[in-house]
Amino acid sequence: MPKHSPIHLDPRSPLVLDTRELPRRPGALRTVKRVVPAPADLGLELIGVPEGADLDLDLRLESVSEGVLVSGTVSGSVQGECGRCLRAIGDSLTVTVQELYAYENSTTDETTDEDEVGRLQGDLIDLEPALRDAVVLALPTNPLCRDDCPGLCPECGVQWDELPADHSHQQIDPRWASLSQLTRKEE
């Protein structure tokens, strides 16, 4: 059986779940509802959950033959900036989390790779990796303030929404300026 390098978990950490009160017989169930502060760097380059923001955990811990199945939802606020116009974005996010945490020395040690399944450390579960995966995968890689955001003018960098309809940076070569006068007369 592979040996797992023990990472000492702090049972007082908000994202560490204690399963001592959950009987180790299949079908036993315990619910966890709590508000925890978001860990650092929970997101992508343009959008994410601010560090320390409230995350609402609504979880079920269910004892199964190989370990503990954690499932439920995580809700929180996200902040970032639009990928087109750089306006600030604020929104809420609810993601589903489902992860199996195997008991030490269970048959999953023989049937899975070390990183395939989460592992209990004694009676403790580190929820942060599963939470991080669920939140980051649910975030848009190119967030928009609205679907039809026109972005920025590539010449002056001002938001298109703030510019007049006839805004232009077209420069005419002085040698062709006379010809542009002809097209204006026709209009």
Side-chain angles (χ1 to χ4, degrees):
M1 284 185 215
K3 297 289 181 197
H4 304 290
S5 58
I7 299 171
H8 298 289
L9 297 177
D10 181 0
R12 295 169 295 178
S13 175
L15 290 173
V16 172
L17 305 175
D18 191 345
T19 63
R20 279 182 288 183
E21 296 176 11
L22 181 67
R24 288 193 174 203
R25 66 175 188 276
L29 178 71
R30 186 176 139 225
T31 60
V32 174
K33 291 185 184 212
R34 65 169 80 154
V35 177
V36 300
D41 301 322
L42 184 57
L44 303 171
E45 187 175 338
L46 291 177
I47 194 165
V49 178
E51 182 176 358
D54 287 345
L55 291 175
D56 293 316
L57 305 180
D58 187 4
L59 304 172
R60 290 172 34 130
L61 280 63
E62 186 174 355
S63 190
V64 294
S65 60
E66 292 299 313
V68 176
L69 179 65
V70 177
S71 58
T73 59
V74 176
S75 304
S77 62
V78 293
Q79 293 179 355
E81 59 185 27
C82 178
R84 290 185 188 159
C85 70
L86 305 178
R87 281 190 180 115
I89 297 174
D91 203 358
S92 62
L93 177 74
T94 299
V95 295
T96 302
V97 175
Q98 185 167 22
E99 185 81 18
L100 173 66
Y101 293 89
Y103 295 129
E104 293 178 30
N105 301 320
S106 67
T107 57
T108 57
D109 285 340
E110 298 168 7
T111 60
T112 62
D113 291 333
E114 188 173 339
D115 295 338
E116 240 180 297
V117 175
R119 309 283 175 187
L120 269 92
Q121 294 180 20
D123 292 319
L124 301 178
I125 292 174
D126 184 8
L127 187 63
E128 185 174 342
L131 177 134
R132 187 172 297 282
D133 289 348
V135 169
V136 170
L137 288 173
L139 292 172
T141 55
N142 189 25
L144 300 176
C145 59
R146 63 179 204 267
D147 289 338
D148 63 342
C149 176
L152 303 173
C153 172
E155 296 293 324
C156 62
V158 176
Q159 295 173 349
W160 277 113
D161 289 342
E162 297 175 2
L163 295 171
D166 62 344
H167 177 74
S168 172
H169 292 279
Q170 184 178 17
Q171 293 187 5
I172 300 174
D173 187 326
R175 296 172 290 182
W176 298 98
S178 304
L179 290 176
S180 68
Q181 297 299 325
L182 292 174
T183 59
R184 286 189 191 144
K185 287 179 185 176
E186 291 178 11
E187 291 174 359

